[in-house]
Amino acid sequence: MDTEVLRWLLAQLGPDTDPSDLAQRYERLHSARATAQEVLTERISTLLAEPLRVIVNGIATIDQSSNVAALERRLAQVAGQPAPDDKGERPLNHLVGIPLVPRQRR
């Protein structure tokens, strides 16, 4: 994994993400996008394994549902943007041809 891929992964996943863990995942998956998606999916699964909302009447409320929604949005963003190691597997925007027709002159 080169530095450009590592920088992209850290930008997608946050600077506190362990680079050695990312390198191991990248070696196994051979794709920056797949690596980011796996990490984000694991983070979502970790949050879903615990109760999303805990209320102690009159003392505290902890609600993790917005964190799950934010991670799901991030996962969708990663799937939609180009990764630095993409090799043309993903189609670019389609080209559209528009026929030009001469206008009548007055």
Side-chain angles (χ1 to χ4, degrees):
M1 174 170 58
D2 62 12
T3 57
E4 183 181 356
V5 170
L6 179 60
R7 276 186 275 162
W8 184 84
L9 284 169
L10 291 174
Q12 304 309 310
L13 303 170
D16 294 337
T17 308
D18 181 18
S20 62
D21 178 50
L22 292 176
Q24 289 174 354
R25 290 175 193 257
Y26 185 81
E27 288 301 316
R28 182 172 45 85
L29 298 169
H30 305 290
S31 166
R33 181 185 322 286
T35 302
Q37 289 173 331
E38 183 177 80
V39 171
L40 290 170
T41 302
E42 281 183 10
R43 290 179 183 177
I44 293 168
S45 297
T46 301
L47 286 175
L48 292 176
E50 300 293 325
L52 286 180
R53 190 167 193 181
V54 176
I55 300 173
V56 179
N57 286 333
I59 297 175
T61 300
I62 299 172
D63 189 359
Q64 297 289 344
S65 59
S66 60
N67 291 344
V68 171
L71 286 171
E72 288 172 340
R73 284 192 307 271
R74 190 73 192 134
L75 186 60
Q77 287 175 344
V78 165
Q81 58 183 226
D85 63 347
D86 281 347
K87 296 179 183 90
E89 304 117 20
R90 300 171 58 80
L92 299 175
N93 292 336
H94 297 286
L95 295 175
V96 177
I98 301 172
L100 299 176
V101 180
R103 289 187 347 186
Q104 290 186 346
R105 297 188 184 250
R106 294 185 208 175

